[in-house]
Amino acid sequence: MFESVLSCSILKRAQEKGLAELVVHNLRDYTTDIHRKVDDYPFGGEAGMVMKIQPVDACISHLKSQRSYDEIIFTSPDGEQFNQKTANSLSLLENIIILCGHYKGVDYRIRQHLVTREISIGDYVLTGGELPAMVIADAVVRLIPGAIGDEQSALTDSFQDNLLAPPIYTRPADYNGWKVPEILLSGHEAKISEWRHEQSLERTARLRPDLLKS
């Protein structure tokens, strides 16, 4: 699942530049039984399978023996909501482990003793934590200086200042009678900046008023 995501676009470029190192670890490599099982039935008879603590602990312990980690993140539907502020803070860290949940979940002792932070990308349940891990990786790595061609671009994205981004346009200025706002063609930087801010406020108030309250 990770191969295509990590080998294209910004994530690929960041790795090639030496700005980020993204490594996928298979928990089956840390099992001790002949069948390399990473899951088992839950105590108490509930339906579904649960990820075992042993391979997770072995993997994390092995990684921590090689370097220190700022956060050990578990992707979970009931974790804190992932947002741009979280991505910004994570982009400043040195090393991060992201543990992808699967099946019914993980042995709760993993969350109690091994994980430092739990993050959710939304109030819904996915088959596993792989997709959320990819989302987090993409959102964080693109903020590392040099990962994208124009660093100012990331600073003007939606949510960076709790506002949605203003409308953007490109050539031609007139397409089938659909015209670009004249202010953007004026060359007056101060007025353009003011227009963009006003548009951001209007779009945020109309589409995401909750952001203005926070």
Side-chain angles (χ1 to χ4, degrees), residues 11-34:
L11 292 181
K12 177 183 179 182
R13 187 157 60 245
Q15 293 177 88
E16 291 176 342
K17 290 183 176 181
L19 301 174
E21 181 183 13
L22 301 167
V23 182
V24 180
H25 301 274
N26 189 345
L27 289 175
R28 293 188 186 278
D29 295 336
Y30 296 89
T31 55
T32 57
D33 66 294
I34 191 172

PDB file of all heavy atoms in Angstrom, residues 11-34:
ATOM      1  N   LEU A  11       6.655  13.408  -1.641  1.00  0.00           N
ATOM      2  CA  LEU A  11       7.303  12.452  -0.742  1.00  0.00           C
ATOM      3  C   LEU A  11       8.546  11.845  -1.394  1.00  0.00           C
ATOM      4  O   LEU A  11       9.574  11.649  -0.742  1.00  0.00           O
ATOM      5  CB  LEU A  11       6.324  11.350  -0.352  1.00  0.00           C
ATOM      6  CG  LEU A  11       5.153  11.792   0.531  1.00  0.00           C
ATOM      7  CD1 LEU A  11       4.264  10.599   0.878  1.00  0.00           C
ATOM      8  CD2 LEU A  11       5.648  12.464   1.800  1.00  0.00           C
ATOM      9  N   LYS A  12       8.460  11.544  -2.668  1.00  0.00           N
ATOM     10  CA  LYS A  12       9.622  11.012  -3.385  1.00  0.00           C
ATOM     11  C   LYS A  12      10.728  12.055  -3.452  1.00  0.00           C
ATOM     12  O   LYS A  12      11.899  11.758  -3.184  1.00  0.00           O
ATOM     13  CB  LYS A  12       9.211  10.585  -4.797  1.00  0.00           C
ATOM     14  CG  LYS A  12      10.382  10.079  -5.636  1.00  0.00           C
ATOM     15  CD  LYS A  12       9.932   9.737  -7.048  1.00  0.00           C
ATOM     16  CE  LYS A  12      11.112   9.242  -7.889  1.00  0.00           C
ATOM     17  NZ  LYS A  12      10.699   8.943  -9.286  1.00  0.00           N
ATOM     18  N   ARG A  13      10.363  13.278  -3.810  1.00  0.00           N
ATOM     19  CA  ARG A  13      11.354  14.349  -3.956  1.00  0.00           C
ATOM     20  C   ARG A  13      12.045  14.651  -2.632  1.00  0.00           C
ATOM     21  O   ARG A  13      13.261  14.865  -2.589  1.00  0.00           O
ATOM     22  CB  ARG A  13      10.672  15.594  -4.510  1.00  0.00           C
ATOM     23  CG  ARG A  13      11.624  16.721  -4.865  1.00  0.00           C
ATOM     24  CD  ARG A  13      11.026  17.678  -5.878  1.00  0.00           C
ATOM     25  NE  ARG A  13       9.805  18.307  -5.393  1.00  0.00           N
ATOM     26  CZ  ARG A  13       8.617  18.117  -5.931  1.00  0.00           C
ATOM     27  NH1 ARG A  13       8.463  17.292  -6.959  1.00  0.00           N
ATOM     28  NH2 ARG A  13       7.549  18.741  -5.450  1.00  0.00           N
ATOM     29  N   ALA A  14      11.295  14.658  -1.546  1.00  0.00           N
ATOM     30  CA  ALA A  14      11.885  14.935  -0.232  1.00  0.00           C
ATOM     31  C   ALA A  14      12.896  13.870   0.160  1.00  0.00           C
ATOM     32  O   ALA A  14      13.931  14.174   0.755  1.00  0.00           O
ATOM     33  CB  ALA A  14      10.782  15.033   0.818  1.00  0.00           C
ATOM     34  N   GLN A  15      12.597  12.623  -0.177  1.00  0.00           N
ATOM     35  CA  GLN A  15      13.538  11.545   0.131  1.00  0.00           C
ATOM     36  C   GLN A  15      14.783  11.631  -0.742  1.00  0.00           C
ATOM     37  O   GLN A  15      15.904  11.424  -0.266  1.00  0.00           O
ATOM     38  CB  GLN A  15      12.849  10.190  -0.072  1.00  0.00           C
ATOM     39  CG  GLN A  15      11.733   9.926   0.937  1.00  0.00           C
ATOM     40  CD  GLN A  15      11.012   8.618   0.665  1.00  0.00           C
ATOM     41  OE1 GLN A  15      11.410   7.554   1.134  1.00  0.00           O
ATOM     42  NE2 GLN A  15       9.934   8.699  -0.128  1.00  0.00           N
ATOM     43  N   GLU A  16      14.592  11.933  -2.020  1.00  0.00           N
ATOM     44  CA  GLU A  16      15.733  12.038  -2.926  1.00  0.00           C
ATOM     45  C   GLU A  16      16.665  13.182  -2.527  1.00  0.00           C
ATOM     46  O   GLU A  16      17.882  13.102  -2.726  1.00  0.00           O
ATOM     47  CB  GLU A  16      15.244  12.238  -4.359  1.00  0.00           C
ATOM     48  CG  GLU A  16      14.562  11.011  -4.951  1.00  0.00           C
ATOM     49  CD  GLU A  16      13.998  11.267  -6.334  1.00  0.00           C
ATOM     50  OE1 GLU A  16      13.825  12.455  -6.688  1.00  0.00           O
ATOM     51  OE2 GLU A  16      13.733  10.292  -7.060  1.00  0.00           O
ATOM     52  N   LYS A  17      16.107  14.251  -1.975  1.00  0.00           N
ATOM     53  CA  LYS A  17      16.905  15.388  -1.524  1.00  0.00           C
ATOM     54  C   LYS A  17      17.536  15.153  -0.156  1.00  0.00           C
ATOM     55  O   LYS A  17      18.320  15.982   0.317  1.00  0.00           O
ATOM     56  CB  LYS A  17      16.027  16.644  -1.457  1.00  0.00           C
ATOM     57  CG  LYS A  17      15.598  17.198  -2.808  1.00  0.00           C
ATOM     58  CD  LYS A  17      14.790  18.479  -2.607  1.00  0.00           C
ATOM     59  CE  LYS A  17      14.416  19.129  -3.912  1.00  0.00           C
ATOM     60  NZ  LYS A  17      13.638  20.388  -3.710  1.00  0.00           N
ATOM     61  N   GLY A  18      17.177  14.048   0.489  1.00  0.00           N
ATOM     62  CA  GLY A  18      17.693  13.775   1.818  1.00  0.00           C
ATOM     63  C   GLY A  18      17.023  14.581   2.906  1.00  0.00           C
ATOM     64  O   GLY A  18      17.541  14.697   4.024  1.00  0.00           O
ATOM     65  N   LEU A  19      15.848  15.129   2.608  1.00  0.00           N
ATOM     66  CA  LEU A  19      15.124  15.938   3.592  1.00  0.00           C
ATOM     67  C   LEU A  19      14.300  15.084   4.541  1.00  0.00           C
ATOM     68  O   LEU A  19      13.979  15.506   5.649  1.00  0.00           O
ATOM     69  CB  LEU A  19      14.197  16.921   2.864  1.00  0.00           C
ATOM     70  CG  LEU A  19      14.873  17.897   1.893  1.00  0.00           C
ATOM     71  CD1 LEU A  19      13.825  18.700   1.138  1.00  0.00           C
ATOM     72  CD2 LEU A  19      15.818  18.824   2.652  1.00  0.00           C
ATOM     73  N   ALA A  20      13.904  13.913   4.101  1.00  0.00           N
ATOM     74  CA  ALA A  20      13.085  13.017   4.919  1.00  0.00           C
ATOM     75  C   ALA A  20      13.449  11.574   4.599  1.00  0.00           C
ATOM     76  O   ALA A  20      13.812  11.247   3.468  1.00  0.00           O
ATOM     77  CB  ALA A  20      11.604  13.257   4.650  1.00  0.00           C
ATOM     78  N   GLU A  21      13.354  10.734   5.604  1.00  0.00           N
ATOM     79  CA  GLU A  21      13.561   9.290   5.433  1.00  0.00           C
ATOM     80  C   GLU A  21      12.273   8.595   5.875  1.00  0.00           C
ATOM     81  O   GLU A  21      11.844   8.751   7.019  1.00  0.00           O
ATOM     82  CB  GLU A  21      14.738   8.805   6.275  1.00  0.00           C
ATOM     83  CG  GLU A  21      15.013   7.318   6.109  1.00  0.00           C
ATOM     84  CD  GLU A  21      16.147   6.833   7.001  1.00  0.00           C
ATOM     85  OE1 GLU A  21      16.542   7.584   7.919  1.00  0.00           O
ATOM     86  OE2 GLU A  21      16.624   5.714   6.779  1.00  0.00           O
ATOM     87  N   LEU A  22      11.657   7.869   4.961  1.00  0.00           N
ATOM     88  CA  LEU A  22      10.398   7.190   5.241  1.00  0.00           C
ATOM     89  C   LEU A  22      10.612   5.688   5.086  1.00  0.00           C
ATOM     90  O   LEU A  22      10.937   5.211   3.999  1.00  0.00           O
ATOM     91  CB  LEU A  22       9.316   7.681   4.274  1.00  0.00           C
ATOM     92  CG  LEU A  22       9.040   9.189   4.325  1.00  0.00           C
ATOM     93  CD1 LEU A  22       8.204   9.631   3.132  1.00  0.00           C
ATOM     94  CD2 LEU A  22       8.332   9.551   5.609  1.00  0.00           C
ATOM     95  N   VAL A  23      10.421   4.968   6.181  1.00  0.00           N
ATOM     96  CA  VAL A  23      10.694   3.530   6.187  1.00  0.00           C
ATOM     97  C   VAL A  23       9.457   2.781   6.667  1.00  0.00           C
ATOM     98  O   VAL A  23       8.851   3.155   7.671  1.00  0.00           O
ATOM     99  CB  VAL A  23      11.887   3.188   7.109  1.00  0.00           C
ATOM    100  CG1 VAL A  23      12.182   1.687   7.055  1.00  0.00           C
ATOM    101  CG2 VAL A  23      13.122   3.992   6.704  1.00  0.00           C
ATOM    102  N   VAL A  24       9.085   1.732   5.950  1.00  0.00           N
ATOM    103  CA  VAL A  24       7.943   0.900   6.332  1.00  0.00           C
ATOM    104  C   VAL A  24       8.464  -0.366   7.009  1.00  0.00           C
ATOM    105  O   VAL A  24       9.330  -1.057   6.465  1.00  0.00           O
ATOM    106  CB  VAL A  24       7.092   0.528   5.098  1.00  0.00           C
ATOM    107  CG1 VAL A  24       5.914  -0.341   5.518  1.00  0.00           C
ATOM    108  CG2 VAL A  24       6.597   1.790   4.395  1.00  0.00           C
ATOM    109  N   HIS A  25       7.938  -0.660   8.183  1.00  0.00           N
ATOM    110  CA  HIS A  25       8.361  -1.847   8.938  1.00  0.00           C
ATOM    111  C   HIS A  25       7.200  -2.838   9.013  1.00  0.00           C
ATOM    112  O   HIS A  25       6.074  -2.465   9.348  1.00  0.00           O
ATOM    113  CB  HIS A  25       8.793  -1.453  10.356  1.00  0.00           C
ATOM    114  CG  HIS A  25       9.927  -0.476  10.378  1.00  0.00           C
ATOM    115  ND1 HIS A  25      11.236  -0.866  10.324  1.00  0.00           N
ATOM    116  CD2 HIS A  25       9.928   0.891  10.426  1.00  0.00           C
ATOM    117  CE1 HIS A  25      12.006   0.218  10.350  1.00  0.00           C
ATOM    118  NE2 HIS A  25      11.237   1.282  10.411  1.00  0.00           N
ATOM    119  N   ASN A  26       7.488  -4.086   8.711  1.00  0.00           N
ATOM    120  CA  ASN A  26       6.488  -5.157   8.743  1.00  0.00           C
ATOM    121  C   ASN A  26       6.492  -5.798  10.128  1.00  0.00           C
ATOM    122  O   ASN A  26       7.495  -6.396  10.545  1.00  0.00           O
ATOM    123  CB  ASN A  26       6.802  -6.203   7.678  1.00  0.00           C
ATOM    124  CG  ASN A  26       5.686  -7.226   7.518  1.00  0.00           C
ATOM    125  OD1 ASN A  26       4.801  -7.336   8.372  1.00  0.00           O
ATOM    126  ND2 ASN A  26       5.732  -7.972   6.440  1.00  0.00           N
ATOM    127  N   LEU A  27       5.386  -5.692  10.839  1.00  0.00           N
ATOM    128  CA  LEU A  27       5.322  -6.246  12.200  1.00  0.00           C
ATOM    129  C   LEU A  27       5.508  -7.757  12.221  1.00  0.00           C
ATOM    130  O   LEU A  27       5.915  -8.325  13.246  1.00  0.00           O
ATOM    131  CB  LEU A  27       3.992  -5.866  12.854  1.00  0.00           C
ATOM    132  CG  LEU A  27       3.834  -4.382  13.223  1.00  0.00           C
ATOM    133  CD1 LEU A  27       2.425  -4.122  13.735  1.00  0.00           C
ATOM    134  CD2 LEU A  27       4.865  -3.981  14.275  1.00  0.00           C
ATOM    135  N   ARG A  28       5.219  -8.429  11.125  1.00  0.00           N
ATOM    136  CA  ARG A  28       5.411  -9.887  11.090  1.00  0.00           C
ATOM    137  C   ARG A  28       6.888 -10.260  11.263  1.00  0.00           C
ATOM    138  O   ARG A  28       7.203 -11.371  11.691  1.00  0.00           O
ATOM    139  CB  ARG A  28       4.874 -10.463   9.774  1.00  0.00           C
ATOM    140  CG  ARG A  28       3.366 -10.343   9.638  1.00  0.00           C
ATOM    141  CD  ARG A  28       2.854 -11.100   8.423  1.00  0.00           C
ATOM    142  NE  ARG A  28       1.428 -10.864   8.219  1.00  0.00           N
ATOM    143  CZ  ARG A  28       0.453 -11.498   8.851  1.00  0.00           C
ATOM    144  NH1 ARG A  28       0.762 -12.434   9.743  1.00  0.00           N
ATOM    145  NH2 ARG A  28      -0.809 -11.233   8.611  1.00  0.00           N
ATOM    146  N   ASP A  29       7.768  -9.333  10.928  1.00  0.00           N
ATOM    147  CA  ASP A  29       9.206  -9.595  11.098  1.00  0.00           C
ATOM    148  C   ASP A  29       9.611  -9.632  12.572  1.00  0.00           C
ATOM    149  O   ASP A  29      10.735 -10.037  12.890  1.00  0.00           O
ATOM    150  CB  ASP A  29      10.023  -8.516  10.378  1.00  0.00           C
ATOM    151  CG  ASP A  29       9.821  -8.543   8.870  1.00  0.00           C
ATOM    152  OD1 ASP A  29       9.448  -9.610   8.341  1.00  0.00           O
ATOM    153  OD2 ASP A  29      10.028  -7.497   8.227  1.00  0.00           O
ATOM    154  N   TYR A  30       8.713  -9.224  13.457  1.00  0.00           N
ATOM    155  CA  TYR A  30       9.040  -9.153  14.885  1.00  0.00           C
ATOM    156  C   TYR A  30       8.253 -10.166  15.717  1.00  0.00           C
ATOM    157  O   TYR A  30       8.262 -10.099  16.943  1.00  0.00           O
ATOM    158  CB  TYR A  30       8.781  -7.734  15.397  1.00  0.00           C
ATOM    159  CG  TYR A  30       9.685  -6.708  14.754  1.00  0.00           C
ATOM    160  CD1 TYR A  30       9.307  -6.071  13.572  1.00  0.00           C
ATOM    161  CD2 TYR A  30      10.925  -6.401  15.296  1.00  0.00           C
ATOM    162  CE1 TYR A  30      10.133  -5.146  12.958  1.00  0.00           C
ATOM    163  CE2 TYR A  30      11.756  -5.471  14.701  1.00  0.00           C
ATOM    164  CZ  TYR A  30      11.360  -4.853  13.520  1.00  0.00           C
ATOM    165  OH  TYR A  30      12.194  -3.936  12.920  1.00  0.00           O
ATOM    166  N   THR A  31       7.586 -11.085  15.049  1.00  0.00           N
ATOM    167  CA  THR A  31       6.843 -12.124  15.765  1.00  0.00           C
ATOM    168  C   THR A  31       7.784 -13.242  16.204  1.00  0.00           C
ATOM    169  O   THR A  31       8.910 -13.366  15.698  1.00  0.00           O
ATOM    170  CB  THR A  31       5.739 -12.703  14.870  1.00  0.00           C
ATOM    171  OG1 THR A  31       6.327 -13.173  13.646  1.00  0.00           O
ATOM    172  CG2 THR A  31       4.691 -11.643  14.539  1.00  0.00           C
ATOM    173  N   THR A  32       7.312 -14.073  17.120  1.00  0.00           N
ATOM    174  CA  THR A  32       8.145 -15.162  17.643  1.00  0.00           C
ATOM    175  C   THR A  32       7.599 -16.546  17.317  1.00  0.00           C
ATOM    176  O   THR A  32       8.272 -17.540  17.574  1.00  0.00           O
ATOM    177  CB  THR A  32       8.273 -15.032  19.177  1.00  0.00           C
ATOM    178  OG1 THR A  32       6.961 -15.023  19.760  1.00  0.00           O
ATOM    179  CG2 THR A  32       8.997 -13.749  19.558  1.00  0.00           C
ATOM    180  N   ASP A  33       6.378 -16.625  16.759  1.00  0.00           N
ATOM    181  CA  ASP A  33       5.805 -17.942  16.460  1.00  0.00           C
ATOM    182  C   ASP A  33       6.047 -18.296  14.990  1.00  0.00           C
ATOM    183  O   ASP A  33       6.317 -17.434  14.148  1.00  0.00           O
ATOM    184  CB  ASP A  33       4.297 -17.949  16.748  1.00  0.00           C
ATOM    185  CG  ASP A  33       3.541 -17.037  15.814  1.00  0.00           C
ATOM    186  OD1 ASP A  33       3.760 -15.801  15.894  1.00  0.00           O
ATOM    187  OD2 ASP A  33       2.763 -17.516  14.991  1.00  0.00           O
ATOM    188  N   ILE A  34       5.917 -19.557  14.678  1.00  0.00           N
ATOM    189  CA  ILE A  34       6.223 -20.066  13.349  1.00  0.00           C
ATOM    190  C   ILE A  34       5.289 -19.511  12.277  1.00  0.00           C
ATOM    191  O   ILE A  34       5.660 -19.381  11.105  1.00  0.00           O
ATOM    192  CB  ILE A  34       6.185 -21.621  13.354  1.00  0.00           C
ATOM    193  CG1 ILE A  34       6.756 -22.152  12.044  1.00  0.00           C
ATOM    194  CG2 ILE A  34       4.774 -22.118  13.595  1.00  0.00           C
ATOM    195  CD1 ILE A  34       6.929 -23.656  12.027  1.00  0.00           C
TER     196      ILE A  34
END
